[in-house]
Structure formats: structure tokens, C-alpha cells
Amino acid sequence: MWGVAGGEGGWTGSSDVSGMAALEHSIQLGCNFFDTAWIYGRGHSEKMLGEALRNHPGKTLYVATKVPPKNREWPSHRGDRLDQIFPPDHIEEYVEKSLQSLGLASLDLLQFHVWEDAWAHDESWIRVVDDLKRQRLIRGIGISVNRWEPTNVLDTLKTGMIDAVQVIYNVFDQAPDDELLPLCRELDIAVIARVPFDEGSLTGNLTIDSTWPAGDWRSSYFVPENLAATVARVESLRRALPADTQLSDVALRFILSNDNVATTIPGMRSIPHVEANMACSDKGKIEPALMTLLRQHRWDREPTAWSQ
């Protein structure tokens, strides 16, 4: 829903008309899980999703949203205090805001939009989560893991409080396979794979000359240092693949072939994108030889000033 909503700090080129058309089409094709956040359009994405939900009262559709950090900084930083980022009254305030925007009485999954594993045993978030579940305002609790920090949540998972983890996982970002995904499988914690196309690079449409309008989030992420390295990696992958291979298809099926992943959340701002993404679900797992090739294109990266 981030790309659908647009707005401050989002993706340019969005429109409510095309976004709603994409949402409607995805539901018609069988999509039943939608990931949003209050910060996506400052409630706008939730309102759009709420409208789509009301248009399909007979369907079982699952909604995941996120509480923004109180200091509005992504990602969180070592040394941040939980009471400054997610104090109880802040969590409760944004649960209420999200419920109002979505027009729901309960959220299927509430996620913390940033996280530090040092907060694992802080009683304040545990108490508020227990209270929200007791009031049936949320059914599950999850964490959206900071970019390229898949181990910065392991102790928190071991508390037994977490139902789902959302983590960057794709052909390049395979580090979650080392520790995070096996632990989630052991603890029966759902894994939501985000950024399946590496912010668009694995669609094959990025070039060294790509630019974005001022204010588009991608212009601050694909800085020259990152853009050049990313395009080089994509070209190396493309050369290694069989000539008739659709890069975006392979990227999505790489994730869907992993039994440790519950679902993935590609953007869907247009009907053609929806149709292409949904079709991948019906194609089955990637054959072993191709999976072995893709494993060779793992790219381990460290968080930096522009990685957000």
C-alpha cells in the first residue's frame, strides 16, 4: 500500500483512481493479504484499503498495518529508548487512528514499524500488546525489521510475544536465511517478505540514468553510490539467467519457493502489475538448478546513511 498511497515520503506517480482499480483487481484475482501503515499517506492508504474492504463484505481479507515511531525516524538507532519511540499511549493512539481510517473494529496484524532487539524484555510494550489483544483490538503483533538488520530481532522473537516478522528478503538480500527464517520456523512465527523487487531494481527497469521527481523516496535511496552498484548487480544476474527468463517473475518466485515464507508484499499500483504478480503464485516453485544460480547472487549489505 506504500506505493498506492503516495504522499509525503512516498512514491510519486500514484493516483487514487489507478490505485483503487489495482486494489479491486487484486481482490478479484484472489489476493487476500494487504500490508499498509499509517505513515503511508498519513492515513490515506488505510482509508483506500478500508474502502476496498467494504466493497467486498463477503470475502476474508487480512489487514496488516504499522505504528510509526514517535520520533518519525526510519530506521531506529542503537541506543534509542523504547519509551521515546513506542510509549504505550503512542501505540494506543495509532491503533485507534488505524482502526478509524480502515473502518474496522479489529486489526488482523499490528506491526512496529522499526525495532531494536535491546527492547525485547521491556515490559511496557509487552503490557500494551497484551491489553490490545485482550480488548480484541488486534489479533496479532508483528515487527517490521530494519533494512539489512535481520538479526536485530532474534531475542524479541524468543519472548513468545511475536506472531509475525516482516523482513527484506529477495534474490539479493538472502541474509535472513542464516538465522532469522530458521528461528521463525522453529517458533511458528509467520514471515512476510518485503521489498521482493529490491525497490524496483529486480524488475529490470532500472538504469544508471534513472531519475525520480523531487520528493520521491527513491531519489534519496538510489543515490549515485547505490544506483551504480545496484545496476551492475542486476546486469550480472540478467546475464547469468537463461535468455527467455523474465527477471521480475524469477524474483518473485524465488521468494514463493521458500517454505519459511508465509507471504510476500510486492507493490501493485497498476492492473498489469497486479496480474503479473498474482500469476507468479500459480507457477510453482523454481527448479533446483535455477535456485542454485540465484543463490550465487546473494549481496550482503550493511546499513548506511542512505539505506533508511
Side-chain angles (χ1 to χ4, degrees):
M1 293 297 300
W2 185 23
V4 174
E8 179 185 347
W11 298 48
T12 57
S14 301
S15 85
D16 287 0
V17 173
S18 60
M20 286 304 301
L23 272 172
E24 288 290 331
H25 198 58
S26 71
I27 294 170
Q28 291 167 8
L29 292 181
C31 183
N32 67 357
F33 182 86
F34 298 89
D35 176 81
T36 187
W38 179 88
I39 202 67
Y40 302 162
R42 278 56 179 173
H44 187 60
S45 74
E46 293 177 328
K47 290 176 182 176
M48 292 178 68
L49 181 55
E51 180 181 340
L53 298 176
R54 288 188 291 276
N55 291 341
H56 299 273
K59 290 184 179 290
T60 301
L61 304 174
Y62 300 97
V63 174
T65 193
K66 309 179 193 76
V67 178
K70 187 172 183 177
N71 65 354
R72 297 290 192 274
E73 291 187 11
W74 284 264
S76 53
H77 306 283
R78 304 304 93 82
D80 282 352
R81 289 171 26 204
L82 181 65
D83 62 359
Q84 296 174 324
I85 311 302
F86 292 121
D89 60 343
H90 175 77
I91 297 170
E92 292 166 349
E93 175 188 354
Y94 279 86
V95 167
E96 184 59 33
K97 285 185 175 182
S98 292
L99 288 172
Q100 289 180 357
S101 295
L102 289 157
L104 296 174
S106 178
L107 300 169
D108 295 307
L109 181 65
L110 178 71
Q111 302 162 101
F112 293 106
H113 211 158
V114 300
W115 194 256
E116 292 296 322
D117 215 15
W119 303 336
H121 300 288
D122 189 307
E123 289 293 326
S124 66
W125 74 267
I126 294 174
R127 284 196 299 270
V128 74
V129 166
D130 277 338
D131 287 344
L132 291 168
K133 285 187 173 182
R134 191 177 304 112
Q135 297 174 66
R136 298 185 179 180
L137 295 177
I138 66 171
R139 294 187 177 91
I141 191 73
I143 292 171
S144 181
V145 185
N146 299 345
R147 186 185 299 272
W148 303 334
E149 297 181 4
T151 61
N152 190 16
V153 71
L154 301 182
D155 284 346
T156 309
L157 302 190
K158 295 172 185 176
T159 66
M161 292 293 299
I162 303 302
D163 301 295
V165 167
Q166 182 179 137
V167 64
I168 292 179
Y169 181 67
N170 56 51
V171 172
F172 291 152
D173 295 301
Q174 301 180 32
D177 278 323
D178 297 343
E179 297 182 66
L180 178 60
L181 269 58
L183 181 61
C184 287
R185 187 177 187 88
E186 175 187 336
L187 299 177
D188 195 26
I189 294 170
V191 174
I192 304 165
R194 79 174 190 269
V195 194
F197 298 126
D198 186 47
E199 306 297 6
S201 79
L202 288 169
T203 65
N205 296 322
L206 206 64
T207 73
I208 197 65
D209 298 315
S210 293
T211 59
W212 296 269
D216 190 298
W217 175 82
R218 289 166 292 184
S219 65
S220 63
Y221 176 72
F222 284 115
V223 296
E225 171 193 354
N226 187 26
L227 182 61
T230 300
V231 169
R233 289 275 181 165
V234 172
E235 288 306 311
S236 175
L237 173 59
R238 200 199 303 266
R239 288 193 299 269
L241 292 172
D244 60 347
T245 302
Q246 178 72 29
L247 182 59
S248 59
D249 180 281
V250 167
L252 210 51
R253 291 177 63 211
F254 168 84
I255 298 165
L256 296 171
S257 297
N258 191 323
D259 291 335
N260 291 325
V261 173
T263 192
T264 186
I265 48 174
M268 44 166 231
R269 294 197 293 172
S270 70
I271 286 176
H273 288 165
V274 168
E275 292 179 341
N277 293 343
M278 293 296 292
C280 289
S281 299
D282 300 325
K283 294 181 180 179
K285 295 186 177 182
I286 286 179
E287 54 273 21
L290 181 54
M291 181 61 77
T292 298
L293 184 154
L294 295 174
R295 290 290 184 193
Q296 296 169 3
H297 288 266
R298 172 171 169 162
W299 184 11
D300 289 331
R301 294 176 270 188
E302 296 290 335
T304 186
W306 47 260
S307 60
Q308 305 171 51

